[in-house]
Amino acid sequence: MGGGGGWHHYQKNGKFEPGYSSIDFWPDVTDYSKTYNTAFKYANGEAAKVYSPYDEESVDLHFKWMKEHDIDGVYMQRFVSEVKGESGKRHFNKVLENALKASKKYGRAISIMYDLSGSVSADMDFIVKDWEELQKLFNLFDNKQNPTYLRHNGRPLVAIWGVGFNDGRKYTIADIQKLVDKIKGPTKKASILLGVPYYWRTLGNDTENSPLLHTVIKSADVIMPWAVGRYNGSSYSSVAGTQLPADITWCKTNNIDYAPLVFPGFSWGNLKNDKSLYNQIPRAKGEFLWQQIAGAKMSGAEALYVAMFDEVDEGTAIFKTKKEGETPLNADGKFVGIEADLATDYYLWLTGQGAKWFHGASGYNAQKPERKP
């Protein structure tokens, strides 16, 4: 699609057709100038379309939405396992080029995030090389050419996600420490955000039980614990109620900045071939997202990471997606829609309200704001 890479991230077993899909939400492509027909159809027989981020105009639209809804910016995920190949690198570089251009045009922040899923120890040197290549290719550190590239304490920020999880990864915390040291270098020319497990502080549950994790965190600048799927609307208070304040205290003591993650809901029925996982963590018309935004703010957090802008695989997308009752047909499965009585940009709007609160606007509290017609 777009770049000729097929239905990547959408397909299952090499096919993207009814019964073969890894996505649970369907993008609402009404506003896109360039779209692609799929094998899926709506109940009226019309072909269901999708967009491609390879197309400059589609990425431009996403940044336009961010500006319209007061969303500060994005982390551009760069999957190491994919950019190691030439075609993968070409695709990711083109999407990044599109995003850097749109970021500047609309005044939205942008930062690169390496996702280590599927990586091995030897890939750490590749990341260092790739990061240096990107700096040269796009003049990332040039304030005139890239005035919106995210800085932290005056230094360009790069994020590294997947540090300290206990799910059998083929690289170690020691590998990450070397990576952090190489990227920072003797002059500490970059700042680093680490994406860590939710229970990073206590080294329990989803976290590798190693004190080295705390050592590598202390050598970074910001941490973002992965909260997706760790709680739902009813368990949030009991889980985050203790985690957040203690996390913030630890980070302040150790002079590390803290960006808690919030997400609108979760669904991966098609990805996991399990219909019981459709809408696994319900969105509750934004109540769940706002519960987390308010919880983070009232616990003393000063920044937020919202997962995710366009993640339709796991149903965490905040961008415009199709509503319930308006999604394409999917053999004996289905697609999950956002609530029928909400506008398709509702979750963009609600995220923007959270951003305003974090930037100091008044009038916000634990109660979800009302959207005026």
Side-chain angles (χ1 to χ4, degrees):
M1 232 182 11
W7 300 106
H8 197 51
H9 276 296
Y10 283 45
Q11 65 191 7
K12 177 160 284 176
N13 301 336
K15 294 189 273 192
F16 187 52
E17 59 191 54
Y20 293 91
S21 165
S22 65
I23 66 171
D24 268 28
F25 278 66
W26 194 277
D28 177 4
V29 295
T30 309
D31 299 343
Y32 295 75
S33 56
K34 192 168 187 182
T35 56
Y36 299 83
N37 283 337
T38 71
F40 291 87
K41 288 189 165 47
Y42 292 102
N44 66 1
E46 185 189 332
K49 300 173 188 284
V50 291
Y51 72 95
S52 172
Y54 195 84
D55 299 322
E56 188 181 312
E57 52 266 58
S58 296
V59 175
D60 184 275
L61 179 65
H62 289 172
F63 279 83
K64 180 169 177 265
W65 286 344
M66 285 180 231
K67 181 165 189 180
E68 287 170 354
H69 294 89
D70 299 297
I71 295 169
D72 292 323
V74 286
Y75 288 90
M76 293 294 295
Q77 277 187 301
R78 201 164 170 84
F79 292 92
V80 176
S81 58
E82 294 176 36
V83 292
K84 279 194 298 186
E86 274 311 307
S87 65
K89 182 181 278 198
R90 199 164 49 245
H91 176 82
F92 275 83
N93 284 4
K94 177 67 169 81
V95 176
L96 178 58
E97 182 186 339
N98 296 341
L100 287 166
K101 189 173 177 182
S103 157
K104 185 177 179 181
K105 178 178 173 182
Y106 294 106
R108 302 299 96 186
I110 189 168
S111 176
I112 287 164
M113 171 179 279
Y114 286 98
D115 189 318
L116 302 183
S117 303
S119 296
V120 298
S121 296
D123 293 334
M124 303 304 140
D125 287 336
F126 168 81
I127 294 167
V128 174
K129 185 165 162 273
D130 185 73
W131 173 235
E132 286 170 355
E133 273 177 20
L134 291 180
Q135 290 168 38
K136 293 189 181 88
L137 186 60
F138 296 112
N139 289 326
L140 282 188
F141 298 176
D142 183 324
N143 270 334
K144 281 194 177 157
Q145 192 162 337
N146 290 298
T148 49
Y149 193 88
L150 191 59
R151 260 77 174 165
H152 178 269
N153 292 337
R155 299 189 296 269
L157 182 75
V158 60
I160 301 165
W161 189 90
V163 179
F165 289 82
N166 66 354
D167 54 2
R169 291 167 183 248
K170 295 189 168 53
Y171 54 88
T172 65
I173 296 172
D175 292 331
I176 303 293
Q177 185 68 68
K178 285 180 194 159
L179 175 61
V180 167
D181 294 343
K182 280 182 181 171
I183 286 180
K184 287 206 148 192
T187 59
K188 293 189 164 47
K189 67 175 183 175
S191 290
I192 293 179
L193 177 150
L194 294 179
V196 298
Y198 192 68
Y199 295 94
W200 62 275
R201 182 175 38 81
T202 56
L203 304 177
N205 298 62
D206 57 0
T207 312
E208 192 181 327
N209 187 5
S210 166
L212 288 177
L213 180 58
H214 290 169
T215 306
V216 74
I217 285 172
K218 287 173 189 174
S219 71
D221 302 275
V222 191
I223 60 163
M224 179 268 285
W226 192 248
V228 174
R230 301 303 187 261
Y231 48 71
N232 57 25
S234 56
S235 64
Y236 173 76
S237 297
S238 58
V239 175
T242 53
Q243 285 295 125
L244 277 168
D247 280 5
I248 291 170
T249 299
W250 190 99
C251 287
K252 284 198 166 144
T253 302
N254 291 284
N255 203 26
I256 300 294
D257 283 334
Y258 181 72
L261 178 151
V262 300
F263 63 107
F266 190 74
S267 180
W268 57 358
N270 292 329
L271 193 66
K272 295 293 182 182
N273 285 328
D274 184 345
K275 291 174 186 168
S276 71
L277 300 179
Y278 286 131
N279 228 2
Q280 187 184 9
I281 301 176
R283 294 185 170 213
K285 298 186 184 179
E287 295 286 355
F288 178 58
L289 178 58
W290 194 257
Q291 180 184 25
Q292 298 165 81
I293 290 171
K297 178 71 177 159
M298 295 190 293
S299 294
E302 295 171 9
L304 272 188
Y305 181 100
V306 182
M308 304 284 276
F309 185 81
D310 56 0
E311 175 70 87
V312 284
D313 307 49
E314 299 177 357
T316 57
I318 60 164
F319 77 159
K320 298 185 184 185
T321 54
K322 285 288 188 183
K323 301 183 190 188
E324 289 167 354
E326 296 178 1
T327 57
L329 305 174
N330 184 22
D332 65 340
K334 68 171 188 176
F335 292 104
V336 178
I338 63 166
E339 295 88 345
D341 52 349
L342 298 180
T344 58
D345 70 342
Y346 182 81
Y347 289 95
L348 289 166
W349 173 81
L350 193 60
T351 300
Q353 296 302 299
K356 286 179 179 176
W357 190 8
F358 268 75
H359 284 301
S362 60
Y364 295 100
N365 53 43
Q367 190 169 351
K368 184 185 73 166
E370 286 293 315
R371 189 176 195 182
K372 294 177 177 67

